[in-house]
Amino acid sequence: MSGMQVKTADTSTVDPVIVEIIRNGLFAVTEEMKTNLMRTAYNLIIYEALDFTVGLFTKEGDTVSIGLGLPMFIRGMSETVKSKIRHFGYENIHPGDILVTNDAYTTGSHLNHFTFTMPVFHNNALIGFTCCMAHWLDVGGSLGQITTDIFSEGIQIPIVKYRSAGKVNQDLVDIIAMNVRMPERALGDLRAQITAITTGERRFLELVQRYGNDAVQASILQIMDQSEAVARQNTLSIPDGTYEAESFMDDDGLEVGKRIPIRVKVIVKGDEMTVDLSDVSKQVKGFYNSGFTTGIACAQVAYKCLTTPTEYPVNDGSFRPLKVIMPMGTVISAERPYPMRVWMTFPMTVIDTIFKALAPAIPHRSIAGHHADLVFPNIHGISPEDGRLFIVGIGPLGGGWGAKSREDGVSVTVCINDGDTHNSPTEQLEAKYPVLVESYKIREDSAGAGEFRGGLGAEMVVQALSPFSVTTRIDRMHCKPWGLDGGGEAAGNGIAIRRKTGWETDLPNAKIFNVRLERGDAYKMLSGGGGGFGNPFKRDALKVAEDVREGYVSRAAAEKLYGVILGDDLLLNASETESLRSQGLD
């Protein structure tokens, strides 16, 4: 269950104008933290892909404001702050301290996510925390292989002090440097995260010094109360009842073809919602598990989308009406030593399945299934320019989102859990690494058909200019994005390899590990589309014709799936279309 804010100040006396100034000030603080991290980070995955989140937290560890970033960090960051408080105790947290961990079972994600937290003191009293969780490109461990336990995934840092009363723990820095392949980059990203949290401390204190700590703390409580009120009001608009849905993942990378069930139950009663994740699959042998904080985040992301999508800053007040039931030992609440490296993939489909469960109750606020994967290859090799190891993740590719009851799905957009992340700019990739992006384009016929069609996926072909190895962990190749209310399913995600003999496309799934490409070889990434909504024969025929002209839908698919006939000039043949559709609608 999401943490409850303990009220320590009278909110009734706060000037509402001050509350709004503080609201925007808190949001501005976390956005500046975000900007400074991007400006000082060393790796593309942070400063271009934006694989990180920053935040402000109360002295109890509840979320006050999160810089727009990865939605799935929404619970992990707060629980990590709370774990650090429990570990040290308030009596052992002092001004100038910086607390750090990358423990996967605390953050809920993988070891690549180093999380730095700084206490904020005003007049010698603790008034809150700043925090930054960011993805380090390499944390040691095996490279390019599937892992079967946490120990093979890299260095594990328990909850310790990176800095104590202003003094850096150099022993810790030396341990980290010895356990990663590119220490100058890892330590560069470390310093960037310190920049982010010290920025947050400075700017938050400026708010406190200008308006007074009592006013700031009382405003925070009132903002949370307002978010709670909105969430409860919008929960009331969902009919009471118990709603269930099921979906599947392709496999865990080890037992190829063995589908993994995702079953959810949503109970709505008055202004409260319970998300029961008890029947989600047990933890798996392959590295697709995540920790319990991610399981809670699945429910929170779905709940926020449904009840408070435009409430900012993101704070824990929004989740007071939400209860999450989830036993330990599932793929979204894994226990040590189960592997966690690809922690984010399965939760995307958990969120989709929550929407699927609620579709009969709130069809006008639901969405069909989306591509639900990063579609993100990792490559590594030796640079021909300087003879040094390079490691880079290219993506996320972006794919199709599901259609709504009155709206087409968006195309080539990052998956729901990835929020504000970006793809890798072609110019940056080609300038820094021995790759040539041959093509990056819309994937025709990837969208699910419907009265409102799903969004389209993408296709990206990358050629090796010198030998390197490529690894992908892509799911939902076979378990495709579903449609709603008669809408069709979309194309799944995929991968193909091109060698001198041609394209290899007969792979059993979309997961490949350490496949070596020689100069001139290439790989092709394919992101899936979004499912359709409603009967495709009810789609505006002129829109179908336009989709054909734009290259979104083939002429053959227009006829077969939508009942639309086009002339040689790709203009609508209205009479033949009406005749064909009348047969299909009978």
Side-chain angles (χ1 to χ4, degrees):
M1 186 173 179
S2 56
M4 299 293 286
Q5 174 69 43
V6 178
K7 297 187 179 182
T8 59
D10 180 9
T11 65
S12 62
T13 60
V14 185
D15 184 335
V17 174
I18 296 297
V19 173
E20 288 309 301
I21 291 173
I22 298 301
R23 180 196 301 275
N24 287 281
L26 295 170
F27 186 77
V29 169
T30 48
E31 287 303 294
E32 186 172 349
M33 292 172 67
K34 176 179 174 179
T35 298
N36 282 352
L37 177 64
M38 292 165 57
R39 292 175 63 186
T40 55
Y42 275 47
N43 283 292
L44 276 169
I45 197 164
I46 294 179
Y47 67 78
E48 287 290 355
L50 311 188
D51 190 347
F52 66 85
T53 301
V54 297
L56 290 174
F57 300 84
T58 67
K59 67 179 182 180
E60 294 84 20
D62 290 321
T63 304
V64 172
S65 175
I66 286 183
L68 299 183
L70 272 72
M72 289 311 296
F73 288 171
I74 197 168
R75 191 77 246 146
M77 288 181 69
S78 176
E79 291 299 327
T80 300
V81 173
K82 291 176 180 178
S83 293
K84 290 172 179 177
I85 294 170
R86 289 192 296 268
H87 179 82
F88 287 108
Y90 287 116
E91 67 276 11
N92 294 312
I93 297 174
H94 307 293
D97 287 355
I98 294 178
L99 320 176
V100 63
T101 187
N102 75 329
D103 176 40
Y105 306 96
T106 298
T107 66
S109 56
H110 52 190
L111 298 178
N112 300 74
H113 286 152
F114 269 69
T115 306
F116 290 84
T117 304
M118 186 173 192
V120 181
F121 283 83
H122 176 67
N123 293 335
N124 295 318
L126 178 66
I127 61 171
F129 292 90
T130 65
C131 189
C132 175
M133 179 186 285
H135 185 116
W136 288 17
L137 193 62
D138 172 62
V139 290
S142 65
L143 187 62
Q145 297 290 351
I146 191 166
T147 52
T148 56
D149 61 47
I150 195 68
F151 306 107
S152 57
E153 294 188 343
I155 185 173
Q156 298 182 68
I157 303 297
I159 296 173
V160 296
K161 289 188 178 183
Y162 163 76
R163 201 172 79 181
S164 181
K167 184 179 179 180
V168 172
N169 182 348
Q170 189 59 43
D171 290 341
L172 174 62
V173 175
D174 292 342
I175 290 170
I176 293 172
M178 185 171 282
N179 281 274
V180 299
R181 296 175 177 86
M182 297 179 291
E184 70 282 359
R185 290 190 169 271
L187 297 182
D189 287 342
L190 182 156
R191 292 189 294 271
Q193 288 186 261
I194 302 305
T195 297
I197 59 175
T198 54
T199 296
E201 179 209 28
R202 183 173 67 255
R203 295 305 192 199
F204 185 54
L205 282 174
E206 287 176 1
L207 271 180
V208 169
Q209 289 158 1
R210 183 167 184 178
Y211 298 102
N213 187 50
D214 287 346
V216 170
Q217 297 297 336
S219 295
I220 288 171
L221 294 180
Q222 187 162 322
I223 290 165
M224 289 186 174
D225 288 346
Q226 292 168 350
S227 295
E228 177 186 3
V230 173
R232 289 190 181 279
Q233 185 64 37
N234 285 325
T235 304
L236 278 170
S237 68
I238 304 173
D240 284 0
T242 299
Y243 308 99
E244 300 182 54
E246 180 181 58
S247 61
F248 293 88
M249 308 301 295
D250 289 347
D251 55 53
D252 71 349
L254 289 175
E255 298 181 271
V256 178
K258 182 180 179 180
R259 294 192 174 186
I260 298 165
I262 304 291
R263 301 184 185 96
V264 306
K265 181 187 296 183
V266 181
I267 303 163
V268 180
K269 186 175 182 181
D271 63 357
E272 295 188 345
M273 178 183 290
T274 298
V275 176
D276 187 346
L277 301 174
S278 302
D279 290 331
V280 171
S281 169
K282 297 297 183 184
Q283 53 202 5
V284 293
K285 296 176 182 178
F287 52 16
Y288 289 89
N289 302 291
S290 53
F292 82 98
T293 60
T294 295
I296 297 172
C298 289
Q300 289 188 334
V301 170
Y303 185 70
K304 181 162 180 62
C305 289
L306 292 167
T307 61
T308 56
T310 59
E311 281 290 305
Y312 293 107
V314 177
N315 66 80
D316 272 342
S318 299
F319 307 115
R320 290 175 184 165
L322 174 67
K323 180 181 179 182
V324 182
I325 300 173
M326 183 180 59
M328 295 299 293
T330 74
V331 289
I332 49 173
S333 59
E335 299 177 287
R336 191 180 298 276
Y338 276 80
M340 306 272 277
R341 179 166 283 175
V342 193
W343 71 285
M344 190 184 277
T345 297
F346 286 12
M348 302 179 203
T349 295
V350 174
I351 295 173
D352 259 8
T353 310
I354 294 172
F355 293 143
K356 184 180 183 181
L358 286 166
I362 46 172
H364 298 312
R365 287 158 61 186
S366 296
I367 188 170
H370 81 310
H371 69 290
D373 198 287
L374 297 176
V375 195
F376 188 94
N378 286 93
I379 67 172
H380 67 272
I382 303 300
S383 171
E385 293 188 359
D386 57 15
R388 300 180 68 184
L389 172 72
F390 70 87
I391 304 172
V392 63
I394 298 180
L397 187 61
W401 279 49
K404 301 176 184 178
S405 63
R406 298 185 180 90
E407 185 180 339
D408 290 348
V410 294
S411 300
V412 195
T413 300
V414 295
C415 48
I416 190 167
N417 297 24
D418 243 30
D420 198 33
T421 56
H422 298 173
N423 60 10
S424 304
T426 296
E427 296 80 5
Q428 287 268 21
L429 291 171
E430 294 182 339
K432 295 176 181 292
Y433 305 103
V435 300
L436 173 67
V437 179
E438 294 183 4
S439 65
Y440 188 7
K441 61 184 181 180
I442 290 283
R443 185 182 175 193
E444 187 180 64
D445 287 340
S446 56
E451 181 177 2
F452 294 93
R453 63 158 173 76
L456 291 122
E459 173 187 306
M460 187 180 195
V461 178
V462 177
Q463 181 188 147
L465 298 184
S466 73
F468 60 67
S469 295
V470 59
T471 293
T472 67
R473 297 101 173 223
I474 302 167
D475 207 89
R476 297 288 293 275
M477 175 180 178
H478 304 294
C479 301
K480 300 177 181 180
W482 54 81
L484 292 176
D485 194 28
E489 69 177 17
N493 304 304
I495 176 72
I497 299 295
R498 187 186 71 203
R499 304 189 188 278
K500 291 182 176 62
T501 54
W503 284 104
E504 299 172 7
T505 59
D506 58 343
L507 301 172
N509 59 15
K511 304 171 176 72
I512 60 174
F513 305 102
N514 267 347
V515 171
R516 182 175 172 84
L517 301 186
E518 301 298 333
R519 178 179 173 86
D521 292 346
Y523 68 81
K524 180 192 296 182
M525 305 294 298
L526 299 165
S527 61
F533 201 115
N535 187 336
F537 272 39
K538 293 183 177 180
R539 182 168 177 79
D540 185 334
L542 291 174
K543 288 185 177 180
V544 177
E546 180 64 19
D547 282 346
V548 172
R549 291 192 291 271
E550 291 289 342
Y552 299 162
V553 176
S554 68
R555 190 170 174 177
E559 181 173 343
K560 179 180 179 181
L561 300 179
Y562 292 96
V564 171
I565 306 296
L566 304 180
D568 293 338
D569 54 4
L570 298 185
L571 296 177
L572 177 67
N573 186 320
S575 60
E576 290 190 23
T577 295
E578 183 179 357
S579 175
L580 179 58
R581 283 188 158 188
S582 64
Q583 300 171 35
L585 290 172
D586 287 342

